[in-house]
Amino acid sequence: TFTKVLPPGNRIVAGVWNLNENSEDLSIEEGLAKRLGIQIGDILEFNILGEVIKARVGSVRNLHWDRMTPNFFFILPKGLLEGQPRTWMTSLYIGDQALSLERVLVERFPSITLIEIGRLVEQIQLIANQISASMLPLIGLCLISGLFAVLAGIHASSQERDQEDRLLRIIGVDSKRRRLTNATEFVALGLISGLYGAITAETIRWGLYATLLDIPFRLRLEIVLGMPQMSALILLIVGLWATRKTT
């Protein structure tokens, strides 16, 4: 697009905004500049219907793509685009009368193209929810692995536990305190394994969001906080059951 004034929501992070009609500088979006390795002073060529237009990168802009306003990767001075074919674009909120208003717009302006951002957002949200749901088997696998690890540890240290139990009895420690000691151990193991599983699952989800889908990532606190508690409860029950004979 072309404009003289820096659009609202755009912020210059490098270079200088200088897009008067006689200028040959352009402004590029920050993320695209990083991906393509474009820097201030680089010369870019645009082929518009066979006509090549050259412009120098004069500034780099940071903007918010999540706002429902028209945003552009490249902003050029009007002089470079003079005489080129144009397409007008805007954004508006339709609300609950979407179908009726869309029908009126299409009937009055047959060449208009309507893009319903709401449906696109819903589709993206659906994909994100499916990815989140796919993490549940991983979380369950971490819990099951933790259970087996606890059972294996209890079995491997059964003799040591018997010796410790006899020693505690000799020094006068009652069975209630011995069970409390075992319970503390199992709760700690459950919290650590649950937190590890939650961090692993969220890290994988962040990788998918950042690299594959390129959408904003939001940490699910219900997983990070809830999974350690659930794991601690399950390991506590299983651990006390497995050591019931020694206590």
Side-chain angles (χ1 to χ4, degrees):
T1 188
F2 63 84
T3 181
K4 294 182 180 179
V5 182
L6 184 67
N10 288 240
R11 180 172 58 90
I12 300 298
V13 295
V16 178
W17 175 269
N18 179 25
L19 269 71
N20 55 63
E21 292 190 8
N22 298 324
S23 173
E24 294 185 355
D25 288 353
L26 63 80
S27 181
I28 185 175
E29 190 266 336
E30 181 182 21
L32 182 63
K34 290 181 178 179
R35 288 195 295 270
L36 299 181
I38 298 176
Q39 300 178 354
I40 298 294
D42 290 349
I43 304 297
L44 303 183
E45 294 184 357
F46 298 88
N47 190 319
I48 304 177
L49 298 178
E51 181 179 350
V52 177
I53 296 176
K54 296 183 179 181
R56 187 183 72 91
V57 178
S59 61
V60 179
R61 294 170 293 110
N62 175 270
L63 54 90
H64 299 283
W65 289 104
D66 54 349
R67 296 180 180 177
M68 297 304 172
T69 56
N71 291 315
F72 301 92
F73 287 110
F74 296 100
I75 299 181
L76 284 74
K78 183 178 180 181
L80 291 179
L81 297 179
E82 196 70 37
Q84 300 295 337
R86 304 176 184 180
T87 298
W88 298 96
M89 183 179 68
T90 187
S91 64
L92 71 157
Y93 176 72
I94 295 180
D96 298 333
Q97 305 298 324
L99 294 179
S100 59
L101 183 55
E102 287 178 8
R103 184 166 52 250
V104 172
L105 287 173
V106 172
E107 290 176 353
R108 187 169 181 180
F109 305 98
S111 61
I112 196 173
T113 300
L114 295 177
I115 301 177
E116 297 186 36
I117 302 298
R119 293 185 180 180
L120 295 178
V121 173
E122 291 177 359
Q123 188 65 29
I124 294 174
Q125 187 63 44
L126 177 61
I127 296 175
N129 292 337
Q130 291 176 347
I131 293 177
S132 300
S134 66
M135 295 293 104
L136 295 178
L138 176 61
I139 295 174
L141 181 61
C142 292
L143 287 176
I144 295 174
S145 300
L147 292 177
F148 280 110
V150 169
L151 292 176
I154 293 174
H155 178 73
S157 61
S158 58
Q159 294 183 354
E160 296 179 2
R161 288 181 179 274
D162 290 340
Q163 294 176 0
E164 293 176 356
D165 186 65
R166 295 192 190 99
L167 180 61
L168 292 175
R169 290 180 181 179
I170 292 174
I171 63 178
V173 178
D174 56 14
S175 60
K176 182 178 180 180
R177 181 162 297 182
R178 295 197 302 274
R179 286 196 297 269
L180 180 60
T181 301
N182 289 333
T184 303
E185 177 185 355
F186 299 138
V187 169
L189 288 174
L191 290 175
I192 293 174
S193 61
L195 183 61
Y196 175 77
I199 292 176
T200 301
E202 288 299 286
T203 301
I204 295 175
R205 195 166 66 89
W206 169 81
L208 293 174
Y209 277 38
T211 60
L212 184 61
L213 299 178
D214 194 19
I215 59 178
F217 170 77
R218 183 182 64 87
L219 185 66
R220 298 183 61 183
L221 294 179
E222 63 272 17
I223 296 295
V224 177
L225 299 179
M227 185 175 174
Q229 299 179 26
M230 182 183 300
S231 177
L233 178 60
I234 294 176
L235 291 183
L236 174 63
I237 296 173
V238 173
L240 291 179
W241 176 83
T243 58
R244 65 189 184 283
K245 294 182 179 179
T246 60
T247 57

